[in-house]
Amino acid sequence: MGHPTCPKCKALLTFEPAYGLISARVKCILCGWERARPVAVVIPPPERVEVKQVAIRTDKRGTCQLCLREDVYLRGPKCSRCYNRIKRGVDVHAA
């Protein structure tokens, strides 16, 4: 059993799927013969995909409250160096 062929001219048939209330159709690519097929299940049209908006992170520059370095990027009240040292458990004021 191969590809479906036209009963009129024996050329290949194309299939147009059903969307909403429109029935599915088969159509000959050569002579234009077509027939509507009954739809067993109504397939809804593809829905739009919504794009999620992501908040843009704005880093603040300023003076760190722990090491008093000026004009650095801050993660909360502390700079990234102090933040990483506290995270690793290193004494901030020893160095």
Side-chain angles (χ1 to χ4, degrees):
M1 176 123 183
H3 195 78
T5 57
C6 175
K8 188 174 176 183
C9 68
K10 304 298 181 210
L12 296 177
L13 297 176
T14 59
F15 177 73
E16 297 173 0
Y19 288 115
L21 300 176
I22 300 170
S23 61
R25 290 192 280 167
V26 288
K27 188 172 184 180
C28 177
I29 63 171
L30 189 62
C31 70
W33 175 88
E34 66 178 38
R35 174 159 295 173
R37 296 170 106 190
V39 180
V41 177
V42 177
I43 302 169
E47 295 182 13
R48 288 180 131 188
V49 177
E50 293 188 25
V51 177
K52 294 181 181 179
Q53 293 192 1
V54 178
I56 298 172
R57 192 175 128 205
T58 57
D59 292 329
K60 292 193 249 175
R61 292 183 72 93
T63 304
C64 179
Q65 293 180 2
L66 295 176
C67 66
L68 302 176
R69 289 192 310 157
E70 296 179 353
D71 197 31
V72 293
Y73 287 108
L74 301 175
R75 297 184 81 175
K78 37 191 177 296
C79 66
S80 59
R81 184 174 74 173
C82 293
Y83 179 83
N84 289 332
R85 292 175 109 189
I86 290 171
K87 186 176 174 183
R88 284 185 274 139
V90 178
D91 184 18
V92 176
H93 300 291

